[in-house]
């Protein structure tokens, strides 16, 4: 490759944006896709002055979650409420911002050769940040809120959980994935990093679009010497519409064209490594319906140095080759 071509390719690859991955900041268009609109400054002005209430899900340890989020959240005042104590109506007041889990499956009916089948085609498990821009009180005290949906933090449904929701589910076929959690990255280490991203994005008044390509070349070159960690579950290949396990790749084949050091850990071990305070970079695949967001995240700061989105359900060797090529560009 001659010098001029190399410079052109380098310019195409490099993007100095370091806030992506599992976090979206923008006016939500639909709960089942990634499409968002810009946030007008007047809404940021309003959001700056609100009080945030973080609803801690029952599946997370309350005190541990409170400490993790309190340590990384500097955007505005934040209070914590256990999910069992959360009453939406009580907090439905102008000037309140709520961060809560949105958990819903969206079904559609497919017609195949005259037979109609209902399937869970879309799934949304995410923290959503909403703010009550205004709340009118109607007759008999009924509240009519004007709700701003401004940010989301997405989580990846495990293969077992995805398959378990389908009509074709059977225990025998699910045996190899029956020990999986419901979500691969719904653990406090990952959550810490995601809320670092969200907090900085709000502080910077920045729209974060998960479909944007991100490569921070100044940090990617560090992976020439550093080990890239990755969760072992990325080796599992899922059938798109059924959620069934198709096969399990061999690490050496998936990473065949990745020319630098890497190490695979269980999702649990990787989470614990983040919580331990170790400074490293890790690969994360966030699956949101038909979207695959592949990112590289710093474990201490939550900084994202690489992010790439495409319509897919599985990581392949080409994805790792692209990352390797991005590292090699200097």
């Amino acid at each position: 490759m001659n010098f001029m071509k190399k410079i052109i390719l380098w310019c195409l690859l490099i993007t100095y944006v370091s806030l992506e991955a599992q976090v979206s900041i923008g006016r939500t268009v639909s709960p089942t896709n990634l499409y968002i609109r810009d946030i007008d400054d007047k809404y940021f002005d309003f959001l700056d002055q609100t009080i945030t209430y973080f609803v801690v899900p029952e599946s997370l340890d309350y005190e541990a979650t409170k400490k993790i989020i309190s340590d990384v959240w500097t955007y505005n005042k934040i209070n914590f409420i256990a999910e069992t104590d959360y009453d939406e109506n009580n907090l439905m007041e102008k000037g309140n911002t709520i961060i809560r889990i949105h958990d819903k499956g969206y079904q559609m009916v497919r017609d195949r050769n005259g037979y109609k089948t209902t399937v869970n085609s879309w799934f949304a498990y995410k923290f959503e940040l909403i703010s009550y821009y205004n709340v009118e009180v109607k007759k008999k005290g009924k509240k009519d809120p004007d709700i701003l949906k401004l940010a989301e933090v997405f989580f990846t449904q495990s293969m077992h959980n995805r398959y378990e929701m389908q009509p074709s589910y059977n225990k025998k076929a699910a045996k190899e994935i029956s020990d999986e959690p419901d979500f691969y990255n719904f653990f406090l280490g990952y959550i810490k990093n995601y809320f670092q991203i969200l907090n900085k994005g709000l502080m910077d008044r920045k729209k974060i679009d998960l479909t944007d390509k991100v490569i921070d070349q100044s940090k990617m070159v560090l992976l020439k010497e550093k080990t890239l960690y990755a969760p072992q579950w990325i080796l599992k290949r899922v059938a798109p519409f059924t959620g069934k396990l198709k096969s399990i790749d061999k690490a050496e084949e998936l990473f065949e064209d990745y020319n630098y050091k890497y190490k695979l850990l269980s999702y649990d071990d990787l989470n614990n490594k983040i919580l331990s305070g170790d400074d490293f970079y890790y690969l994360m695949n966030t699956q949101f319906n038909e979207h695959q967001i592949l990112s590289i995240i710093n474990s201490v700061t939550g900084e994202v140095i690489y992010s790439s989105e495409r319509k897919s359900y599985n990581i392949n060797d080409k994805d790792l080759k692209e990352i390797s090529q991005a590292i090699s560009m200097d």
Side-chain angles (χ1 to χ4, degrees):
M1 182 183 295
N2 64 39
F3 178 76
M4 185 55 67
K5 285 183 177 179
K6 188 173 182 179
I7 290 294
I8 292 171
L9 181 57
W10 185 86
C11 291
L12 289 172
L13 281 174
I14 190 166
T15 306
Y16 285 105
V17 182
S18 56
L19 289 169
E20 301 291 338
Q22 287 67 223
V23 179
S24 172
I25 297 179
R27 300 289 302 278
T28 302
V29 175
S30 166
T32 61
N33 61 42
L34 299 178
Y35 305 128
I36 56 173
R37 295 175 292 170
D38 287 336
I39 300 177
D40 191 280
D41 277 344
K42 69 178 182 179
Y43 296 129
F44 272 121
D45 291 340
F46 176 79
L47 192 61
D48 289 346
Q49 303 304 314
T50 64
I51 297 175
T52 294
Y53 292 87
F54 188 102
V55 182
V56 181
E58 287 186 77
S59 56
L60 295 178
D61 180 271
Y62 179 86
E63 292 300 332
T65 304
K66 181 178 178 181
K67 184 180 187 311
I68 287 286
I69 300 300
S70 295
D71 286 347
V72 303
W73 191 264
T74 60
Y75 176 65
N76 61 5
K77 181 180 179 182
I78 189 166
N79 296 320
F80 295 85
I81 302 171
E83 186 177 31
T84 51
D85 297 329
Y86 173 55
D87 186 321
E88 183 178 16
N89 193 64
N90 287 345
L91 290 181
M92 193 182 293
E93 302 289 344
K94 181 178 179 179
N96 284 350
T97 290
I98 312 295
I99 297 176
R100 63 188 180 189
I101 283 290
H102 175 108
D103 180 7
K104 192 171 183 181
Y106 297 83
Q107 293 184 330
M108 72 176 291
V109 176
R110 288 199 180 102
D111 191 332
R112 293 179 178 176
N113 300 321
Y115 294 95
K116 294 187 181 298
T117 304
T118 300
V119 295
N120 293 294
S121 298
W122 296 282
F123 190 77
Y125 192 83
K126 55 193 175 183
F127 278 111
E128 61 175 7
L129 183 150
I130 67 168
S131 193
Y132 294 113
Y133 194 58
N134 192 32
V135 179
E136 292 186 21
V137 181
K138 302 292 187 178
K139 292 181 179 179
K140 298 182 179 180
K142 185 177 181 180
K143 296 180 179 180
D144 182 16
D146 181 3
I147 301 175
L148 300 175
K149 296 182 178 181
L150 300 177
E152 296 172 323
V153 178
F154 302 91
F155 296 95
T156 299
Q157 186 183 19
S158 73
M159 194 176 298
H160 179 262
N161 186 252
R162 193 179 313 171
Y163 180 35
E164 198 171 27
M165 294 178 64
Q166 302 299 330
S168 60
Y169 176 81
N170 69 75
K171 291 183 179 180
K172 184 177 180 180
K175 186 176 180 181
E176 290 185 86
I177 52 175
S178 61
D179 61 343
E180 291 189 328
D182 286 344
F183 302 92
Y184 290 125
N185 54 349
F186 192 68
F187 296 92
L188 286 178
Y190 308 117
I191 290 171
K192 181 201 81 166
N193 287 159
Y194 303 158
F195 273 87
Q196 286 174 306
I197 297 168
L198 175 60
N199 182 76
K200 189 174 189 309
L202 293 175
M203 295 283 287
D204 294 343
R205 294 186 165 211
K206 173 183 173 54
K207 176 187 175 185
I208 297 180
D209 189 335
L210 289 175
T211 63
D212 288 343
K213 180 84 172 184
V214 174
I215 303 176
D216 186 339
Q217 190 62 39
S218 66
K219 301 294 174 59
M220 288 292 285
V221 295
L222 298 176
L223 290 171
K224 287 185 175 182
E225 304 298 332
K226 290 180 174 289
T227 298
L228 176 64
Y229 290 85
Q232 290 173 339
W233 59 263
I234 66 171
L235 299 177
K236 296 176 180 178
R237 302 190 67 80
V238 61
F241 297 110
T242 65
K244 287 183 179 180
L245 177 65
K246 292 172 60 178
S247 61
I248 300 177
D249 287 348
K250 293 181 179 179
E252 57 271 23
E253 292 179 356
L254 182 61
F255 284 80
E256 181 179 9
D257 294 318
Y258 181 79
N259 299 320
Y260 305 97
K261 294 182 291 185
Y262 69 91
K263 185 174 182 178
L264 296 181
L265 299 175
S266 70
Y267 59 84
D268 205 24
D269 287 344
L270 184 55
N271 174 69
N272 290 335
K273 188 172 176 62
I274 297 170
L275 291 176
S276 73
D278 287 355
D279 190 350
F280 63 96
Y281 289 97
Y282 65 94
L283 182 69
M284 178 54 62
N285 176 32
T286 298
Q287 188 71 47
F288 184 71
N289 294 325
E290 76 276 21
H291 299 277
Q292 171 188 290
I293 303 104
L294 195 62
S295 53
I296 298 175
I297 305 170
N298 180 271
S299 61
V300 172
T301 65
E303 181 183 23
V304 177
I305 64 171
Y306 181 92
S307 183
S308 178
E309 180 271 340
R310 67 186 179 94
K311 299 291 181 66
S312 179
Y313 292 85
N314 300 292
I315 293 178
N316 61 43
D317 55 346
K318 292 182 180 179
D319 295 318
L320 276 301
K321 184 177 182 179
E322 287 184 9
I323 291 174
S324 189
Q325 289 173 335
I327 295 170
S328 67
M329 295 298 297
D330 54 19

